Amino acid sequence: LCAAFITLTGLAQTISADAADYINQFKNIAMQEQIRTGVPAAIKLGQAILESQTGKSKLATEANNHFGIKCAGDWTGKTIFKNDDTENECFRVYKTPEDSYKDHSEFLKRKRYAALFQLDKNDYKSWAKGLKEAGYATNPKYPDLLIGLIERYQLNRFDVGEKAGEKMARENKVEAEIKSNNAVAPNTESIKAPIKMVIYEVKANDSLAGIAQRFKVSVERLKQANGLSGEIINLGQLLIITN
């Protein structure tokens, strides 16, 4: 593989271009899922890189399954069959990779993984060992492989602290509200441009006509916006000017 050079915490690191691209593509969903469910972003990204071979495994390319999650439990979605611990095992199929990331969080909320959520979210070593102990993987070297990936790519830099998580959650909520408020209703022909508003303080020698000309609005619009019956204005008066 060709190499991509990136700087992490002041240190020059060399990682595969595939891994760099993969991390860049899925780091945000990993952080969002940590905020939503508490699964550390470093663990999620490390597992995804390991299980999906940076998104190039058969499960990832054909089933959008980036975590090797099988059909066990109450899965009612589409499936794909692949040899794993035994021949022709059933694996889950997702519409998008992001759906796989979300389902991975839900999968870890099962009772058998409950002890993980008692661990420090920054303690990726304990999380890696806990995953193996809870039966996520059969490979005895799974924790070492996972820890090695996290440290090689410094994935723990994506772990979201409590304050950062609260900030991101607020920003996501505001963004969602803005998108909702700006949503176009069916059959709407056009979207109205937002109204720009300026508060202007009347200066000496100002006239309503002069202010209107300066801000490229009509005198009548100024009068309507400010409840004026005539064109008399006073020094220091505040006028609302809208486009």
Side-chain angles (χ1 to χ4, degrees):
L1 296 173
C2 59
F5 295 89
I6 60 175
T7 300
L8 307 177
T9 61
L11 299 176
Q13 299 274 334
T14 303
I15 69 175
S16 73
D18 287 343
D21 290 343
Y22 187 89
I23 292 166
N24 188 57
Q25 182 177 357
F26 294 109
K27 63 185 180 183
N28 287 338
I29 184 66
M31 290 189 286
Q32 289 165 8
E33 281 301 287
Q34 177 172 349
I35 294 169
R36 186 177 75 88
T37 66
V39 178
I43 288 293
K44 187 174 288 288
L45 284 169
Q47 284 194 277
I49 291 171
L50 180 59
E51 297 283 353
S52 75
Q53 301 168 27
T54 62
K56 290 179 170 54
S57 69
K58 180 179 179 180
L59 276 178
T61 58
E62 297 183 9
N64 287 320
N65 189 330
H66 286 234
F67 295 90
I69 298 180
K70 298 179 182 179
C71 300
D74 56 356
W75 181 251
T76 58
K78 293 183 178 180
T79 61
I80 190 173
F81 293 87
K82 175 182 175 295
N83 293 341
D84 191 52
D85 296 328
T86 60
E87 290 186 4
N88 210 31
E89 290 198 71
C90 181
F91 289 84
R92 301 182 181 189
V93 175
Y94 303 97
K95 291 182 179 179
T96 68
E98 288 75 15
D99 288 338
S100 175
Y101 271 69
K102 293 175 183 177
D103 190 51
H104 171 257
S105 301
E106 298 303 323
F107 187 81
L108 293 185
K109 288 166 68 175
R110 298 163 68 190
K111 185 176 180 180
R112 67 187 297 183
Y113 299 107
L116 292 173
F117 294 89
Q118 304 303 313
L119 301 172
D120 185 333
K121 291 181 176 58
N122 295 318
D123 188 358
Y124 58 85
K125 292 183 179 179
S126 292
W127 269 79
K129 294 173 183 176
L131 282 165
K132 173 63 178 65
E133 291 171 359
Y136 191 96
T138 56
N139 187 339
K141 293 185 178 180
Y142 192 85
D144 295 332
L145 293 171
L146 184 53
I147 291 168
L149 283 170
I150 292 171
E151 293 181 346
R152 180 182 179 188
Y153 301 135
Q154 295 191 15
L155 299 178
N156 56 317
R157 72 191 191 276
F158 298 116
D159 281 340
V160 182
E162 183 176 351
K163 290 184 179 179
E166 291 173 355
K167 182 175 182 293
M168 183 179 288
R170 287 196 303 271
E171 290 174 348
N172 289 341
K173 181 179 180 181
V174 170
E175 183 179 352
E177 289 175 351
I178 290 172
K179 288 181 179 178
S180 176
N181 291 337
N182 289 338
V184 180
N187 302 321
T188 298
E189 295 180 357
S190 62
I191 300 175
K192 295 181 179 179
I195 296 175
K196 296 179 182 179
M197 184 174 70
V198 174
I199 305 297
Y200 178 76
E201 182 178 355
V202 176
K203 309 291 192 302
N205 301 318
D206 271 342
S207 68
L208 203 62
I211 295 170
Q213 184 177 11
R214 183 184 309 171
F215 288 96
K216 296 181 172 56
V217 297
S218 68
V219 172
E220 283 304 313
R221 188 175 186 84
L222 272 181
K223 290 168 64 177
Q224 290 175 4
N226 292 277
L228 301 176
S229 57
E231 296 187 15
I232 297 175
I233 52 177
N234 301 309
L235 180 66
Q237 183 177 348
L238 299 179
L239 298 177
I240 299 172
I241 301 172
T242 60
N243 64 350

